[in-house]
Amino acid sequence: MLLVQKKEATKTVAGAGLETVDFNVGGVIHAFGFDFRKAAAALMTEAEIEADVGNILIKVDGEPKIEMTAAQAFDILRYRTSQYNVFTPSSVLMIYVNGLGMLDRVIDRSALAWGTKGMRSISAEITIAAVATLASIEPFMLVEPDPERTLGRHYCVRKLADYFASTGVQQVDKKLPFGQPDINMQAVHFHMGAGSGVFTDVTIKASSGRGVDNEIYPMLKLAQHNAILHDHRRAPQTGWFHADFNLINDTLGGIPLGPLTNLRADITWATNAPLSYAI
């Protein structure tokens, strides 16, 4: 299987606001790439990208499929890949939709990639928070040349936010997705947010119509939890608690959401939580 790079037109960024990129539909998409540049096509550091680029929302036929900030995208990519290689990003942000870093075999990664037969549009809405250094964006995709593959089973990222301005146990209830047929949740990544808020452990509980919450991801101290992740070739990132439900790297793994009537997280905050934090 050969992955080819498909470039789109470079967009000039004049100021803060929303930039929309329209991708050409075709083939099987394995990754989206965004090459952020300063004036005169000079390279940008990761810190410069994170300062200027906020939310990135990728849609298929107008339906949201991937949503996260540039900073979150860099962290999740490192979580998946840092044990395979160490790389300092320079200008380019990659968003893989094929389970890179989770699945070892290319044939397995292809199973989660996005077939485009029957699609009408693919777009990315990029929030430009500032233009301290950003001058242009060159979008591109890594594509497997197969015109007959439909979207089918595919990889998505949903972004949420919550708040808890106190210490102790916070119950994140009726906010995590549940009850959606044909969807398996691979992981939930909790960010501690800005400031001094720190949580020490997270417990995930689920119910399936019996009115009883069962622990499906029991409480572990953060150090114990991170050690398990590391032994399964994950690279825990500073400021995150990664509740990973597919450490065995099975394309059919994760938590099936269809039978669930609730999915809840109990977060123990050791110091005051920030006004908001990302999930």
Side-chain angles (χ1 to χ4, degrees):
M1 179 182 68
L2 175 67
L3 298 184
V4 297
Q5 182 176 336
K6 291 179 59 176
K7 290 186 178 182
E8 308 292 343
T10 299
K11 294 186 68 72
T12 300
V13 179
L18 189 67
E19 293 286 344
T20 300
V21 173
D22 292 316
F23 290 95
N24 289 310
V25 176
V28 178
I29 301 169
H30 284 246
F32 295 89
F34 302 92
D35 190 343
F36 299 102
R37 297 290 178 129
K38 303 178 187 179
L43 297 174
M44 294 180 69
T45 65
E46 179 182 341
E48 288 172 333
I49 294 172
E50 292 177 359
D52 283 10
V53 180
N55 201 58
I56 299 174
L57 174 61
I58 298 175
K59 296 180 176 180
V60 171
D61 294 338
E63 181 182 353
K65 294 293 183 182
I66 302 282
E67 185 178 12
M68 49 188 162
T69 66
Q72 292 164 358
F74 278 122
D75 282 348
I76 298 304
L77 181 61
R78 272 192 293 265
Y79 170 73
R80 293 291 189 191
T81 64
S82 287
Q83 287 210 36
Y84 294 86
N85 62 77
V86 177
F87 175 70
T88 301
S90 180
S91 274
V92 178
L93 170 60
M94 298 296 299
I95 297 178
Y96 287 89
V97 297
N98 64 356
L100 181 71
M102 179 181 77
L103 303 171
D104 295 329
R105 301 189 307 167
V106 176
I107 190 171
D108 291 333
R109 294 200 296 271
S110 181
L112 294 181
W114 293 6
T116 60
K117 183 178 181 180
M119 279 187 193
R120 298 182 300 275
S121 66
I122 306 173
S123 63
E125 297 176 359
I126 305 173
T127 302
I128 308 301
V131 286
T133 56
L134 179 63
S136 67
I137 307 170
E138 182 179 287
F140 61 94
M141 296 186 293
L142 290 181
V143 177
E144 178 185 347
D146 178 355
E148 297 302 317
R149 172 94 169 268
T150 58
L151 182 58
R153 188 180 184 87
H154 60 284
Y155 175 85
C156 300
V157 177
R158 180 179 178 185
K159 190 181 79 167
L160 306 170
D162 210 337
Y163 65 93
F164 186 70
S166 183
T167 58
V169 177
Q170 175 196 8
Q171 291 187 353
V172 180
D173 194 32
K174 301 295 185 182
K175 178 159 288 198
L176 300 177
F178 62 89
Q180 299 169 334
D182 301 324
I183 295 179
N184 281 15
M185 180 181 288
Q186 302 293 315
V188 182
H189 305 274
F190 299 89
H191 194 272
M192 296 184 190
S196 59
V198 174
F199 50 73
T200 54
D201 45 62
V202 175
T203 302
I204 308 292
K205 299 181 179 180
S207 58
S208 56
R210 293 178 297 172
V212 178
D213 287 337
N214 296 302
E215 292 187 1
I216 58 174
Y217 201 91
M219 182 177 67
L220 284 174
K221 292 183 173 65
L222 185 59
Q224 300 168 353
H225 172 76
N226 286 348
I228 293 171
L229 293 178
H230 184 274
D231 291 344
H232 287 81
R233 304 188 76 174
R234 307 293 197 261
Q237 298 297 296
T238 301
W240 289 91
F241 191 104
H242 308 278
D244 198 322
F245 309 125
N246 192 11
L247 292 176
I248 60 174
N249 297 335
D250 182 355
T251 55
L252 300 178
I255 299 174
L257 298 183
L260 300 185
T261 54
N262 193 18
L263 188 64
R264 191 182 90 202
D266 291 351
I267 302 175
T268 302
W269 291 91
T271 58
N272 279 9
L275 293 181
S276 69
Y277 62 94
I279 302 174

